[in-house]
Amino acid sequence: MHDLRTFKGVEAWVFDLDNTLYPAHSNLFAQVDVRIRDFVAKLLDISPEAANTVQKDYYRRYGTTLRGLMQERGIAPDDFLDYVHDIDHSVLTPDPALEAALTRLPGKKFIFTNGSRAHAEKTAARLGVAAHFDDIFDIVSAGLLPKPNREAYDLFIQATGVSPARAAMFEDLSRNLKVPHALGMRTVLVVPQGTREVFREAWELEGDDEPHVEFVTDNLPGFVTAVVGALEA
């Protein structure tokens, strides 16, 4: 793993939303996942089990189920985005530790999500961190092209003016860090609580299979606080 001082000079902090800004165990995204399956089942008039298979196939091949439905079924995105994000955000509670860490973190902060802006706004508000973000770049801003498509990142950079060499990206999906790393961003993989050591050992055993993952953490507030400490040292 790299030295936290590598974050010196970073002026833009880019955070994925689901399972990144909030911990995976809160199960908020599990609600989205179920609604995606239900949407597919209704649209194609198939069983939930068959819909789950289609959903995962599209996700693997296209990056998001929505992209697959657009490409193969010609659906309009608005109904899908409204339906799948119509969830109970109240399962999230304020995260004072993350709020405090973001307060001390210098520079601009962005949310970059394959979800919708409305979902990101509600989530950030529930966490008590909405005021810290300069902008939200959602799937509509990306022209409905999801991460890890290179074009999505290019559009993000174009829209925000972020310099990749002076930026850091936080993600819960390793594959979504490949392009940011190639562009020169610092990269942080956020994994479920209690799995960092397991992941790290597996990652180290695999050698250089994933050189695009520079840091791994299962505690985002703690990691950002540590970064702040390195910046202030």
Side-chain angles (χ1 to χ4, degrees), residues 84-178:
V84 304
H85 293 119
D86 184 14
I87 57 173
D88 178 15
H89 288 81
S90 71
V91 298
L92 293 179
T93 53
D95 189 338
L98 180 60
E99 199 278 331
L102 291 174
T103 298
R104 291 174 59 201
L105 192 66
K108 292 192 168 184
K109 302 166 195 80
F110 301 92
I111 292 173
F112 181 2
T113 176
N114 280 345
S116 69
R117 174 179 281 270
H119 171 52
E121 287 173 344
K122 287 176 187 169
T123 301
R126 287 293 307 174
L127 292 170
V129 298
H132 292 292
F133 290 97
D134 293 81
D135 203 0
I136 295 167
F137 190 86
D138 73 341
I139 191 65
V140 176
S141 309
L144 301 166
L145 270 172
K147 296 175 286 184
N149 284 285
R150 169 65 188 259
E151 295 94 326
Y153 300 89
D154 289 342
L155 286 167
F156 169 78
I157 290 164
Q158 189 181 318
T160 59
V162 163
S163 167
R166 293 192 291 277
M169 180 106 189
F170 296 77
E171 260 283 351
D172 71 306
L173 297 174
S174 170
R175 68 180 186 174
N176 288 353
L177 290 172
K178 285 183 179 176

Side-chain angles (χ1 to χ4, degrees), residues 3-217:
D3 190 317
L4 289 177
R5 285 173 297 186
T6 191
F7 289 98
K8 283 186 184 283
V10 170
E11 297 171 355
W13 309 87
V14 187
F15 294 86
D16 173 51
L17 180 71
D18 292 306
N19 298 331
T20 299
L21 267 191
Y22 61 84
H25 64 73
S26 65
N27 284 332
L28 183 71
F29 192 73
Q31 293 184 56
V32 177
D33 205 44
V34 168
R35 289 189 68 80
I36 292 173
R37 187 196 67 200
D38 291 349
F39 186 95
V40 172
K42 286 174 188 168
L43 180 75
L44 304 182
D45 194 21
I46 56 178
S47 71
E49 293 75 23
N52 189 59
T53 302
V54 172
Q55 175 187 350
K56 300 311 174 193
D57 174 52
Y58 284 178
Y59 178 75
R60 270 196 308 274
R61 290 194 289 127
Y62 293 101
T64 57
T65 306
L66 172 58
R67 188 74 188 160
L69 289 171
M70 289 171 63
Q71 293 289 101
E72 299 206 5
R73 300 287 169 171
I75 75 157
D78 294 358
D79 290 346
F80 175 90
L81 290 170
D82 289 345
Y83 182 86
V84 304
H85 293 119
D86 184 14
I87 57 173
D88 178 15
H89 288 81
S90 71
V91 298
L92 293 179
T93 53
D95 189 338
L98 180 60
E99 199 278 331
L102 291 174
T103 298
R104 291 174 59 201
L105 192 66
K108 292 192 168 184
K109 302 166 195 80
F110 301 92
I111 292 173
F112 181 2
T113 176
N114 280 345
S116 69
R117 174 179 281 270
H119 171 52
E121 287 173 344
K122 287 176 187 169
T123 301
R126 287 293 307 174
L127 292 170
V129 298
H132 292 292
F133 290 97
D134 293 81
D135 203 0
I136 295 167
F137 190 86
D138 73 341
I139 191 65
V140 176
S141 309
L144 301 166
L145 270 172
K147 296 175 286 184
N149 284 285
R150 169 65 188 259
E151 295 94 326
Y153 300 89
D154 289 342
L155 286 167
F156 169 78
I157 290 164
Q158 189 181 318
T160 59
V162 163
S163 167
R166 293 192 291 277
M169 180 106 189
F170 296 77
E171 260 283 351
D172 71 306
L173 297 174
S174 170
R175 68 180 186 174
N176 288 353
L177 290 172
K178 285 183 179 176
V179 172
H181 183 262
L183 290 170
M185 293 188 190
R186 320 307 188 275
T187 56
V188 184
L189 185 69
V190 181
V191 297
Q193 253 177 18
T195 64
R196 182 177 66 86
E197 289 308 319
V198 176
F199 178 91
R200 188 164 157 187
E201 285 164 18
W203 182 78
E204 286 172 349
L205 285 172
E206 288 165 13
D208 290 332
D209 286 355
E210 301 210 50
H212 58 277
V213 176
E214 295 178 345
F215 297 90
V216 179
T217 182

